[in-house]
Amino acid sequence: MVRTARRHVCKYTVTRKSKHCKQSHQRGPQARTIVTRSQCETSGSMFHQLPSEVFHMILGQLSVLDMSVFSMVSKEIAKHIVDYISTLSWRNRMIVESFHPSTRVERRSTIGRYRHLSLLFKRCTLLLPTKDRLKFIFGMFSQVRKGEKDCIGFSSYGAFLRTLIAGWDERECYRVFNFLCDTTNLLQKVEAVISGRPGECFRELQVRLFCRQVLLDQWPNHSDCQFWLTLLLRPWPIASQAHLLLILYGPQLPDVIPQQWHVENMARLLVLCGSSLCYNMLASKAINGRLPEISKVIVLLLLLQVCEKDGYHMSWAVKLVQELCNVFGTAVEKYRFIQQLEEMFSEVIREVFEFSVADRETLHSLCVLLDSSARFHTKFLHMFLK
């Protein structure tokens, strides 16, 4: 009986020990559990427990740079900051302001603020897809898209853009350019300027200011500027590209509409560009049926002014006319070209003769023209008689 009782006691004691060990084993790991960041975020951080008004009061005490650094603490903080900077009161306080500073210090301060704003937007939208980032960020700046000559709105916009895309690859920059074109109708505005009548100063000025101050002038090295300039020029044919370059980098005449170039200046420019480009330009005009224009260039300038005054050999002009003749496919077209050339000789001589009576210098030019005409026809006929 005693042994049996002891047996039961031992059994009970062992059972209790094992149960006690089991319970202590279960409690041990629980005391050493490590809480991960994701578990902390799901359970809610200290800021998550604050009312949004209080959290906004805290953010209101931070500078833009401090807020941009704070947004990188966690995804939840970045979301709160995005909600805060999306409020109309914050936008009106930080973005909408005067873009007509009276001093250089004010100008520098305004542009510097937009660089800081760019860092804030760049950091708090870091986890968003590129398209969503651009849509959110540039949606804040609808008020900055109007520019005037003395306004720094476009310059601020450009400083913001440069800071925002610093370090982005070319593929992302292509997306930025396409997004800007869609939101600002940039290509449509450029097309309206280069295809419209010359002298539309306000439209040309708007295109010039936006492209220069937002896309081109912000970059410290030429390769970046060339990248954006290539994107601007690529959609257009070569003549429109030249027109756009003139609008972007040509002289500004706010009150005087430039007159058409004198034909002599046009011819001198073609000569300086080289024989190949000179031929290509005149051949293009010949193919498009602009025979009177190229005939006047050849007669009045290439033969008279350029060859006689600047010392170019007459065989150069003869060779040019011969190459232009080869542009035409039929004998009838070649005959019309030569006929137009001869008629232009007569017209120019008549124009010069009308002013030769009262002006001694003009009379001398008439004599030079007649000598030039004689030499040209001598060379030209000799070429065909060989």
Side-chain angles (χ1 to χ4, degrees):
M1 292 289 293
V2 176
R3 287 181 182 175
T4 308
R6 278 183 189 171
R7 232 179 257 159
H8 285 301
V9 171
C10 291
K11 186 177 181 182
Y12 176 78
T13 305
V14 172
T15 307
R16 285 287 296 171
K17 268 185 189 175
S18 64
K19 285 183 179 178
H20 178 72
C21 291
K22 199 171 187 181
Q23 289 175 359
S24 64
H25 180 72
Q26 290 175 350
R27 285 198 300 268
Q30 189 175 7
R32 295 193 300 269
T33 301
I34 299 175
V35 180
T36 63
R37 181 180 296 179
S38 60
Q39 289 174 336
C40 180
E41 288 181 355
T42 55
S43 62
S45 65
M46 178 185 69
F47 294 104
H48 182 73
Q49 299 171 5
L50 291 175
S52 59
E53 293 83 3
V54 177
F55 190 75
H56 287 182
M57 290 175 62
I58 296 174
L59 294 178
Q61 301 301 314
L62 300 178
S63 67
V64 174
L65 275 181
D66 291 338
M67 203 186 309
S68 70
V69 176
F70 188 34
S71 67
M72 296 188 293
V73 171
S74 68
K75 183 178 179 180
E76 181 189 359
I77 297 297
K79 181 180 181 302
H80 281 299
I81 292 179
V82 167
D83 293 338
Y84 173 66
I85 65 179
S86 299
T87 59
L88 186 60
S89 60
W90 187 88
R91 291 171 60 182
N92 290 338
R93 181 163 54 91
M94 300 301 297
I95 297 179
V96 180
E97 60 179 62
S98 174
F99 290 106
H100 296 81
S102 56
T103 64
R104 287 186 177 181
V105 176
E106 292 179 0
R107 176 188 177 93
R108 236 182 265 120
S109 175
T110 301
I111 295 178
R113 172 182 291 188
Y114 276 86
R115 290 196 182 99
H116 295 168
L117 286 172
S118 181
L119 279 176
L120 171 62
F121 288 121
K122 184 175 186 175
R123 289 169 174 173
C124 69
T125 61
L126 188 61
L127 300 178
L128 294 178
T130 302
K131 187 175 181 180
D132 295 338
R133 293 180 78 183
L134 295 175
K135 187 175 181 181
F136 169 76
I137 292 172
F138 289 104
M140 301 287 232
F141 291 89
S142 58
Q143 300 93 335
V144 192
R145 290 178 190 160
K146 292 183 179 180
E148 301 169 4
K149 188 174 181 181
D150 299 324
C151 175
I152 65 168
F154 284 157
S155 297
S156 303
Y157 199 53
F160 181 94
L161 178 66
R162 176 189 167 188
T163 306
L164 176 69
I165 66 175
W168 290 17
D169 58 21
E170 285 193 2
R171 184 181 61 178
E172 298 297 327
C173 292
Y174 278 119
R175 292 181 180 177
V176 172
F177 179 76
N178 292 332
F179 185 86
L180 285 176
C181 290
D182 292 339
T183 54
T184 62
N185 296 321
L186 177 60
L187 295 183
Q188 289 85 344
K189 293 176 181 177
V190 171
E191 183 180 13
V193 167
I194 61 180
S195 62
R197 298 171 59 185
E200 296 181 354
C201 299
F202 179 74
R203 283 186 177 181
E204 292 181 358
L205 182 62
Q206 285 288 302
V207 170
R208 179 190 179 103
L209 291 178
F210 184 87
C211 294
R212 289 281 300 271
Q213 296 179 8
V214 176
L215 298 176
L216 300 175
D217 291 350
Q218 297 292 334
W219 308 105
N221 51 54
H222 293 295
S223 59
D224 291 330
C225 179
Q226 186 178 7
F227 171 79
W228 292 97
L229 183 60
T230 302
L231 293 182
L232 284 170
L233 297 177
R234 183 176 295 169
W236 315 109
I238 186 170
S240 299
Q241 289 181 7
H243 190 181
L244 181 57
L245 284 174
L246 179 63
I247 292 173
L248 295 179
Y249 292 102
Q252 295 188 69
L253 299 174
D255 301 322
V256 180
I257 298 178
Q259 300 298 319
Q260 187 176 4
W261 273 36
H262 194 277
V263 188
E264 179 180 357
N265 295 332
M266 187 188 303
R268 291 180 186 276
L269 177 61
L270 289 175
V271 170
L272 292 174
C273 291
S275 301
S276 177
L277 184 58
C278 179
Y279 164 75
N280 289 336
M281 183 64 71
L282 294 177
S284 175
K285 293 179 182 295
I287 293 174
N288 293 323
R290 299 164 70 173
L291 297 183
E293 183 178 348
I294 64 172
S295 298
K296 190 162 188 177
V297 170
I298 293 173
V299 172
L300 182 59
L301 303 173
L302 295 179
L303 300 183
L304 170 63
Q305 309 290 352
V306 176
C307 291
E308 293 296 323
K309 291 184 177 180
D310 294 344
Y312 282 86
H313 201 276
M314 187 59 67
S315 59
W316 177 79
V318 174
K319 183 180 179 181
L320 178 65
V321 173
Q322 186 180 10
E323 290 177 348
L324 289 175
C325 282
N326 295 331
V327 171
F328 302 101
T330 63
V332 176
E333 292 176 336
K334 293 180 180 180
Y335 176 78
R336 288 177 181 172
F337 171 62
I338 298 298
Q339 184 181 28
Q340 181 67 51
L341 192 62
E342 294 296 331
E343 290 176 355
M344 188 58 64
F345 262 112
S346 301
E347 182 178 339
V348 170
I349 291 174
R350 284 196 301 269
E351 289 177 357
V352 174
F353 183 73
E354 291 176 359
F355 298 96
S356 63
V357 179
D359 190 351
R360 203 173 165 80
E361 184 178 351
T362 309
L363 181 61
H364 174 70
S365 296
L366 176 61
C367 296
V368 174
L369 175 62
L370 293 174
D371 292 339
S372 176
S373 175
R375 291 180 58 202
F376 173 78
H377 289 94
T378 300
K379 290 276 186 180
F380 203 69
L381 292 175
H382 181 258
M383 178 182 64
F384 286 105
L385 293 175
K386 280 185 177 180

